[in-house]
Amino acid sequence: HVKMWSSRKRRLLSKLLPLTLTGTLYLASDIHLGPSIMRTNQAFYRFLKEAEAKADALILPGDIFNVWFGDDVALRHPQPWLAEALEAFRACANQIPVYFIHGNRDFLIGQELCQSLGVQLLPAETLIRSDAGLLYICHGDEFCTDDERYMALRRQLRTPRNQALFLSLPRTVRQAIARYARYMSQRSQRKVAAAKQNQEAKIAQGSARSHAQDLVANKLDMTEADSRHLQTDLQTAAPVDEVNDNVNKAAHLQAGVSDIANLYYDVNEAAIEQALLAVQAKLGELPTLMIHGHTHKPALHQLPTLGIPRIVLPDWDLDHAPQQPRAGFLKIEKKSVSLLPWENDTITPIYLSL
């Protein structure tokens, strides 16, 4: 059953021409760079150094940052962790071509940032003609079409009008929304942890103890002062209905969408096959390989009808469960593809000959 892969999308894809990149390509996604994951950040910066030395190009298909509120905020008022991240990207882009693709968390990255870093922003669905064949690369959330709630919100928030309205908000308001988004993300993480603890506790010691653990696990990380500060920012800087409505959308944009994404609906393979057939109609050939991230479920699949390999990139997290770190990348060479762990043994390597 194919949902929400419209004729408009097929027309847009039909205009897409492949970018030719030869040599060794590195790909990584879902790093979620941010202020509270220092182990993950530093591991990724070491990966960038590795890419500088051993890759001919680096492609990052989305969710590079955990949240993004505008290039102007990042470039003119960067927090220390962000300034370090931007310098790491600049250093890498000075050595090899670096390409960004939007994810569901950082789709407000614009040309101002990319020009400052020396990187190139690629279309959401990108074709790469490589030494391993024709690659179809995207973040992946566009194919989670079974999640109708997320797809409806995604369509609304990706409109140029809504994005322009959000980016027109005062910097202080966007920063307030950032605090709220971090709070929502932390709450979501606590809910997941609480659910897991609840299940384990029920098995081990019964429902009474699990209820107590739920109460502890669901304490909120937003302080009372933060809450008052957020409310004051929004009330004083958003006096008209249209902007108020856009603030609400913006909060959903970076908090609600992330909450929904935490459910990790898988991609709809029939929708993917429809997209690849649109490529064939345009170019006279099918892609050799389909690559995406988003679902945090690294694996090698084979599309059921077309038989084309589909590789899912891993997410990066070396902070929340240090005993089970997750990080990895895809290495593409002539006629071979390798999904490799980075500084951990949690991810099982995958090797594919094309």
Side-chain angles (χ1 to χ4, degrees):
H1 182 45
V2 184
K3 300 177 183 177
M4 308 307 300
W5 215 83
S6 64
S7 58
R8 177 179 176 273
K9 289 273 287 181
R10 288 192 292 272
R11 288 195 301 272
L12 289 173
L13 186 59
S14 69
K15 299 177 182 179
L16 189 62
L17 296 176
L19 170 68
T20 298
L21 294 176
T22 59
T24 300
L25 310 181
Y26 279 14
L27 290 87
S29 73
D30 298 279
I31 304 101
H32 301 154
L33 294 171
S36 60
I37 52 166
M38 290 300 118
R39 290 190 187 93
T40 305
N41 292 354
Q42 295 302 319
F44 181 71
Y45 303 153
R46 291 190 292 272
F47 169 74
L48 290 180
K49 289 293 185 183
E50 176 87 356
E52 290 177 29
K54 297 184 178 180
D56 294 294
L58 173 64
I59 305 168
L60 302 173
D63 283 6
I64 303 159
F65 297 94
N66 195 48
V67 67
W68 196 260
F69 289 95
D71 294 358
D72 58 330
V73 174
L75 294 175
R76 287 180 273 287
H77 306 279
Q79 297 177 20
W81 75 266
L82 181 54
E84 183 181 15
L86 299 183
E87 283 306 310
F89 280 120
R90 287 192 185 98
C92 186
N94 279 334
Q95 301 299 318
I96 60 172
V98 177
Y99 301 90
F100 284 2
I101 296 175
H102 284 148
N104 58 290
R105 292 173 178 266
D106 56 11
F107 61 85
L108 289 174
I109 287 176
Q111 291 296 340
E112 183 181 8
L113 175 75
C114 293
Q115 290 173 6
S116 171
L117 301 182
V119 309
Q120 183 174 339
L121 185 62
L122 295 177
E125 287 113 21
T126 289
L127 294 171
I128 303 290
R129 194 171 295 282
S130 72
D131 291 340
L134 183 63
L135 312 176
Y136 184 105
I137 305 172
C138 63
H139 180 60
D141 66 312
E142 55 268 79
F143 290 113
C144 293
T145 56
D146 293 323
D147 186 355
E148 296 181 358
R149 180 185 170 207
Y150 170 73
M151 295 303 291
L153 188 59
R154 185 182 189 274
R155 288 194 303 275
Q156 184 181 32
L157 296 174
R158 295 296 182 102
T159 63
R161 180 178 180 275
N162 283 337
Q163 292 185 17
L165 281 171
F166 173 71
L167 293 173
S168 70
L169 293 172
R171 176 173 56 86
T172 55
V173 175
R174 283 180 277 159
Q175 290 174 329
I177 294 170
R179 290 194 295 272
Y180 178 68
R182 284 195 294 271
Y183 150 71
M184 289 293 288
S185 178
Q186 290 167 345
R187 187 181 76 168
S188 177
Q189 290 170 8
R190 284 182 175 272
K191 284 182 177 180
V192 172
K196 182 177 180 181
Q197 290 177 4
N198 184 42
Q199 183 181 23
E200 293 173 349
K202 281 181 177 179
I203 294 172
Q205 298 185 13
S207 61
R209 180 179 175 183
S210 77
H211 178 66
Q213 287 180 324
D214 283 348
L215 293 177
V216 172
N218 279 294
K219 286 183 179 178
L220 303 181
D221 286 341
M222 176 174 275
T223 66
E224 185 178 350
D226 282 340
S227 180
R228 288 198 304 269
H229 184 40
L230 172 61
Q231 292 173 8
T232 300
D233 283 342
L234 297 184
Q235 288 171 359
T236 58
V240 299
D241 289 342
E242 182 177 46
V243 176
N244 276 325
D245 179 62
N246 192 56
V247 169
N248 290 332
K249 289 177 180 178
H252 282 295
L253 181 150
Q254 296 293 3
V257 169
S258 298
D259 246 353
I260 296 171
N262 280 335
L263 296 175
Y264 298 135
Y265 280 81
D266 210 345
V267 295
N268 185 308
E269 289 192 318
I272 292 175
E273 291 193 329
Q274 194 177 25
L276 300 188
L277 288 171
V279 172
Q280 184 183 41
K282 172 64 177 179
L283 301 180
E285 62 178 310
L286 283 166
T288 306
L289 178 64
M290 194 271 184
I291 304 166
H292 68 87
H294 180 65
T295 63
H296 301 189
K297 299 175 182 177
L300 171 63
H301 303 273
Q302 190 171 38
L303 293 174
T305 302
L306 299 179
I308 295 172
R310 173 173 69 90
I311 289 185
V312 186
L313 300 171
D315 67 315
W316 289 55
D317 188 349
L318 288 79
D319 290 88
H320 295 108
Q323 297 78 18
Q324 293 184 311
R326 302 189 309 276
F329 68 103
L330 194 66
K331 181 180 180 181
I332 298 178
E333 300 174 289
K334 187 173 182 179
K335 299 301 180 182
S336 70
V337 175
S338 306
L339 184 65
L340 302 172
W342 179 255
E343 298 185 354
N344 72 89
D345 55 6
T346 304
I347 294 175
T348 302
I350 296 173
Y351 301 97
L352 175 66
S353 297
L354 297 173

